[in-house]
Amino acid sequence: MDGDRAVDDGRTPTLDAPPVRLRAWRPDDAHVVVEASQDPLIPLVTTVPRTADPCAVDAYVARQRRRLADGVGYSFVVATADDDHAVGQLSVLLRDADHGRVSIGYWVAASRRRRGYAGAALRVAADWALGLPGIQRADLFVEPWNEGSWRAAERAGFVREGLLRGWQRVGGERRDMYVYGRLID
Ligand SMILES: CC(C)(COP(=O)(O)OP(=O)(O)OC[C@H]1O[C@@H](n2cnc3c(N)ncnc32)[C@H](O)[C@@H]1OP(=O)(O)O)[C@@H](O)C(=O)NCCC(=O)NCCS
């Protein structure tokens, strides 16, 4: 691993929104990736490894710390506001930024779910992203069965806009996705 490129470039902001804080990844956040690697869904829809092997986990953390420098977007740790303990991840992807759009993805470790973390993280991330220069829309994609995810999106002000049939390959199958959007006020 290239030492310089493993260092976050300092441009990932810290966004405080109790009960969560979004911030840049640190090497000591690896424990949350170890937990996520055992989840039945997260490794299928993200680059979280399917193994808790320390090399694979550390490589994931290093990739998150390079996401901005690599032009992919912002990768935040979702941490608890009170003790800064990593509980999940949230990405603000910039691939369609030239069209005024960002796309948001997220997960929360199973042991920390149903405490309002995803909803709070999504709200503060969307509020912040819609203030980036030229960005007027944030979107996200959720499978219809994933009620926790679409409820978190709705709690954060996203509106369901439709069903995209066969939109994404998940675990070898094409899956339908709800598309949710939030527009600049
Ligand atoms: C989806 C996920 C991010 C939700 O995280 P969370 O921190 O538990 O969500 P929150 O606690 O903010 O809950 C948001 C809302 O969903 C509800 N909810 C949470 N999990 C739920 C579930 N399994 N079934 C039904 N409702 C659920 C909460 O009660 C809350 O409802 P409210 O807004 O009406 O109060 C988490 O379950 C997860 O990481 N799942 C695996 C990865 C994933 O699905 N990522 C999203 C891909 S689109």
Side-chain angles (χ1 to χ4, degrees):
M1 180 169 58
D2 179 327
D4 285 336
R5 281 166 57 80
V7 176
D8 180 78
D9 62 11
R11 288 192 294 143
T12 300
T14 296
L15 305 175
D16 276 308
V20 296
R21 162 181 302 149
L22 272 53
R23 61 161 170 79
W25 281 83
R26 301 189 305 241
D28 64 345
D29 297 319
H31 64 88
V32 77
V33 185
V34 170
E35 183 173 354
S37 72
Q38 306 307 302
D39 189 87
L41 178 62
I42 294 171
L44 293 181
V45 293
T46 70
T47 61
V48 168
R50 290 166 196 257
T51 162
D53 171 66
C55 288
V57 168
D58 289 348
Y60 174 86
V61 173
R63 283 198 301 279
Q64 304 319 297
R65 287 157 61 84
R66 290 198 304 267
R67 285 290 192 231
L68 196 52
D70 288 347
V72 176
Y74 293 82
S75 177
F76 295 92
V77 162
V78 179
T80 47
D82 53 356
D83 61 0
D84 202 25
H85 183 80
V87 297
Q89 189 268 352
L90 184 144
S91 300
V92 175
L93 301 175
L94 298 175
R95 60 180 170 242
D96 292 323
D98 287 349
H99 302 286
R101 298 194 297 266
V102 295
S103 195
I104 300 184
Y106 44 92
W107 52 262
V108 170
S111 64
R112 300 297 184 121
R113 290 180 188 160
R114 302 200 83 148
R115 301 178 195 200
Y117 292 162
L122 266 172
R123 178 168 287 280
V124 73
D127 287 351
W128 169 79
L130 290 171
L132 290 172
I135 299 301
Q136 290 162 330
R137 175 184 163 90
D139 49 35
L140 56 85
F141 303 88
V142 186
E143 286 190 74
W145 64 263
N146 198 344
E147 185 174 349
S149 184
W150 56 255
R151 279 194 184 279
E154 290 179 1
R155 180 161 283 276
F158 284 79
V159 173
R160 188 185 301 172
E161 297 171 332
L163 180 72
L164 300 168
R165 295 179 301 154
W167 179 251
Q168 188 177 327
R169 190 178 293 280
V170 178
E173 282 175 27
R174 296 216 70 85
R175 300 283 183 89
D176 297 348
M177 295 274 165
Y178 286 143
V179 55
Y180 275 85
R182 228 189 94 177
L183 273 59
I184 203 163
D185 291 331

